[in-house]
Amino acid sequence: MEKIKSKGYAMFSKEGPFKPYEFERHAVGDNDILIKIMYAGICHSDIHQARSEWNEKEHYPMVPGHEIVGQVTQIGRNVTKFKVGDYAGVGCMVNACKDPNCDTCHGNREQECPDAVFTYASHDKFHGGEITQGGYSNNIVISEDFAIQVPKTADMEKVAPLLCAGITTYSPIQFSRIREGDKVAVAGFGGLGHMAVQYLVKLGADVSVFDVSEEKREAAMKMGAREFVDVSKDTEFFKKHLNKFHFILSTIPAKYDMSAYLRMLEFGGEFAIVGLPATQNLPSISLHSFVFTPNRKIYGSMIGGIKETQEMLDYSVKNKIYPQVKIIKGAPDEVAKQITEAYNTIVDGKVQFRFVIDMRDL
Ligand SMILES: [Zn+2]
Ligand SMILES: [Zn+2]
């Protein structure tokens, strides 16, 4: 079978910058679809991985990108979920074992499968150990089971970030069973945070937002938050909110004081962590904080399974819940430069809220 030729944008070392890059993908198998990528979002995780900040094995050249939407241009002969011309999305994973005896696959939590293959910089044992390449490119080959159906009524320019930022925040909100009237907080108001606020407001929760950039206050209030707390100005911010929240979702991608957030939870309240700072910059929390702020629960959450991702996408499109995006487009050299710059803007917390790369002309 013919390998698929691809063009994309890669980092060749952890220092960067991005440059146009040509490579090959595995052939379209019987259960696979080929997607011509239209848009790819830039996630903060892309930056951590492209810069080797998570102590993972380095794979360069690396084409990041796990927020992907495009159009199906070819299907394998066993494919039933997609037709040529349909719109499809790809998120953070492209394969898992799918063995009925695998608890995580069977339980629709493929992201936890020991054999899960992530969308880029991941060892693909199902394709001879090739290293996957992500969505900052013009096409991708994926098993139909791991592709998400995107209704043609979706706003294509904005839909891609739902595949990571959307599901990453939607999933813990479901897991913690947030309901109308619950007092909740979102810590970190960036790409993930601004999705979380929209889902929580839609559910009728009473939402407070904590962030370090005063410039984001207006957007938070417009999205329906009750209050915006600029924690850069007031390190004692937690004192005004002691024991107040039923649920706090932390999307913070840098070091922060976790015990301050724990103290804002009510008895039995839940603190869900989705933001993953660089390894050298991890927040920590002492056992004392747990014991002296008793009976509060902390858990981490990692994207969501394929079934839940499809649910999230359908829910978001139906309710018109989308990220606010800034489109990167132009000639390939220009786009490569803009991606490199976008990374710095995101790390500085200055983007409102998601960069999306237009791949249609690549
Ligand atoms: Zn992501
Ligand atoms: Zn499995």
Side-chain angles (χ1 to χ4, degrees):
M1 285 193 293
E2 284 272 311
K3 290 219 171 211
I4 301 293
K5 291 201 182 317
S6 299
K7 282 189 255 180
Y9 300 100
M11 293 249 296
F12 290 75
S13 72
K14 65 181 171 192
E15 286 79 30
F18 275 93
K19 286 180 199 157
Y21 173 56
E22 295 193 8
F23 59 102
E24 284 186 331
R25 296 188 184 274
H26 60 258
V28 181
D30 291 346
N31 300 304
D32 294 341
I33 62 174
L34 174 63
I35 300 172
K36 182 181 187 319
I37 298 177
M38 297 162 68
Y39 297 99
I42 298 180
C43 174
H44 208 128
S45 303
D46 297 346
I47 303 175
H48 290 310
Q49 292 198 73
R51 294 181 176 176
S52 286
E53 292 176 343
W54 283 347
N55 276 355
E56 301 203 319
K57 198 159 178 245
E58 295 181 9
H59 297 292
Y60 296 104
M62 184 193 300
V63 179
H66 57 208
E67 298 182 336
I68 300 166
V69 70
Q71 208 163 11
V72 178
T73 55
Q74 191 184 327
I75 60 172
R77 61 179 169 184
N78 298 339
V79 168
T80 56
K81 200 165 114 180
F82 293 94
K83 301 187 303 291
V84 168
D86 284 352
Y87 294 95
V90 180
C92 300
M93 57 184 161
V94 290
N95 223 332
C97 80
K98 292 180 277 185
D99 186 324
N101 296 319
C102 171
D103 285 345
T104 57
C105 285
H106 186 66
N108 296 309
R109 292 177 284 114
E110 301 90 346
Q111 74 275 28
E112 286 181 60
C113 173
D115 292 333
V117 182
F118 295 94
T119 306
Y120 60 86
S122 182
H123 175 93
D124 185 350
K125 68 176 277 187
F126 305 100
H127 293 92
E130 69 178 27
I131 301 301
T132 54
Q133 296 287 20
Y136 299 1
S137 60
N138 64 342
N139 61 25
I140 190 164
V141 181
I142 182 172
S143 158
E144 66 165 339
D145 295 341
F146 286 80
I148 304 299
Q149 293 169 297
V150 177
K152 56 175 178 293
T153 52
D155 185 340
M156 296 302 162
E157 224 179 54
K158 296 181 177 170
V159 82
L162 296 175
L163 277 307
C164 174
I167 186 62
T168 297
T169 51
Y170 179 90
S171 186
I173 291 169
Q174 303 301 315
F175 185 74
S176 287
R177 299 173 192 274
I178 302 309
R179 288 185 303 218
E180 191 174 351
D182 284 346
K183 284 192 167 49
V184 302
V186 173
F189 191 56
L192 293 175
H194 90 300
M195 293 309 303
V197 168
Q198 294 184 75
Y199 290 126
L200 291 164
V201 166
K202 181 72 198 170
L203 285 170
D206 182 339
V207 187
S208 298
V209 176
F210 295 81
D211 195 89
V212 291
S213 318
E214 185 59 37
E215 313 89 81
K216 291 180 178 168
R217 177 184 296 273
E218 200 187 324
M221 301 313 281
K222 243 191 210 159
M223 281 176 199
R226 165 199 284 272
E227 64 171 340
F228 178 92
V229 181
D230 179 353
V231 302
S232 71
K233 294 217 179 79
D234 178 9
T235 50
E236 306 268 86
F237 65 90
F238 60 92
K239 290 192 175 160
K240 290 185 203 106
H241 301 84
L242 287 177
N243 307 323
K244 177 172 165 184
F245 299 112
H246 174 65
F247 174 73
I248 300 177
L249 181 66
S250 172
T251 74
I252 305 173
K255 199 163 194 153
Y256 63 98
D257 179 7
M258 279 178 75
S259 61
Y261 288 91
L262 202 60
R263 293 174 69 183
M264 296 195 290
L265 283 176
E266 66 177 13
F267 179 80
E270 296 181 8
F271 185 70
I273 299 167
V274 294
L276 206 51
T279 317
Q280 329 73 294
N281 218 6
L282 287 177
S284 59
I285 186 160
S286 76
L287 288 179
H288 291 78
S289 299
F290 281 110
V291 175
F292 291 118
T293 322
N295 301 93
R296 275 74 172 167
K297 306 172 204 169
I298 298 187
Y299 71 92
S301 183
M302 177 172 73
I303 50 173
I306 294 299
K307 185 164 174 268
E308 191 177 38
T309 304
Q310 186 69 61
E311 264 169 42
M312 170 285 306
L313 193 113
D314 295 340
Y315 176 86
S316 306
V317 171
K318 183 168 153 238
N319 291 294
K320 297 193 164 54
I321 297 177
Y322 289 109
Q324 285 186 17
V325 303
K326 203 166 173 333
I327 302 289
I328 292 177
K329 64 177 173 186
D333 285 329
E334 183 53 33
V335 168
K337 214 172 111 202
Q338 285 187 57
I339 300 171
T340 306
E341 286 165 11
Y343 272 30
N344 296 325
T345 311
I346 295 167
V347 171
D348 293 342
K350 297 293 182 211
V351 61
Q352 296 202 24
F353 283 88
R354 206 60 152 179
F355 283 106
V356 168
I357 313 164
D358 184 340
M359 297 294 176
R360 291 173 304 168
D361 296 329
L362 188 64

